[in-house]
Amino acid sequence: MRLWLLRHGHAEPHAGSDALRRLTTHGRQEVLQSAAQLIGRPLEAILCSPYVRARQTAELVVEALQSRLIIEIVPWLTPESSLGSALAYLAARPESELLVVSHQPLIGDLAGMLEHGHRQQALPMATAGLAELVGDMPLAGGMQLDSLFQPHK
């Protein structure tokens, strides 16, 4: 399995709630830099946080790839969600190439858990950072970090 973890792009600092924060112009540019890394990849699905900035990020990826992939909004992909729930959900997915769009600290913690099997080595993810993990299954300690792309600021 090849699992891509994408943190949303830079977002406005304030909105009616954290879930309603939108991408800034700079954030959109960051996302397009990361989306370029996915051109030609055989993505089978995109899982996305319900938060506005993550949905906007996933939509930009679909546009940049000129893809017809459906973005699946997943309620457990919020910043403070449970790693256990994320791992269980991902392990049940049938895809061999999957993109997950979410937030810190969840996305960095998830990458660290998949690679090292524990939370003590979370992967630092800048806004629109894109991590590529490869392994037989998305289990704790069962994947290897293949690449990490951090967009130019």
Side-chain angles (χ1 to χ4, degrees):
M1 174 183 212
R2 188 168 306 273
L3 180 64
W4 299 89
L5 302 177
L6 176 60
R7 182 179 176 197
H8 64 80
H10 186 265
E12 61 191 10
H14 305 289
S17 72
D18 185 41
L20 297 176
R21 292 173 47 219
R22 303 181 60 75
L23 292 179
T24 63
T25 300
H26 175 70
R28 295 169 91 61
Q29 292 168 347
E30 290 177 322
V31 171
L32 292 175
Q33 288 179 49
S34 292
Q37 309 307 304
L38 296 168
I39 292 173
R41 297 300 321 172
L43 290 176
E44 297 171 67
I46 299 174
L47 306 180
C48 182
S49 160
Y51 288 18
V52 170
R53 60 192 179 275
R55 290 194 332 255
Q56 289 177 314
T57 296
E59 290 164 1
L60 281 169
V61 169
V62 168
E63 287 174 29
L65 299 180
Q66 299 178 351
S67 172
R68 295 181 186 212
L69 282 172
I70 303 296
I71 300 167
E72 297 178 45
I73 305 301
V74 184
W76 56 261
L77 276 173
T78 57
E80 306 296 332
S81 291
S82 157
L83 278 179
S85 296
L87 289 171
Y89 188 89
L90 290 173
R93 296 294 299 204
E95 295 86 6
S96 60
E97 189 130 357
L98 179 66
L99 172 64
V100 175
V101 181
S102 190
H103 315 263
Q104 282 290 60
L106 177 67
I107 204 86
D109 288 346
L110 180 58
M113 180 66 80
L114 288 166
E115 184 178 19
H116 304 292
H118 55 76
R119 293 174 177 240
Q120 285 73 33
Q121 287 180 277
L123 187 64
M125 299 278 290
T127 53
L130 177 67
E132 175 187 11
L133 293 114
V134 179
D136 291 333
M137 290 198 60
L139 302 172
M143 298 192 88
Q144 177 180 341
L145 181 65
D146 206 35
S147 68
L148 177 61
F149 177 80
Q150 306 279 20
H152 304 296
K153 297 297 173 189

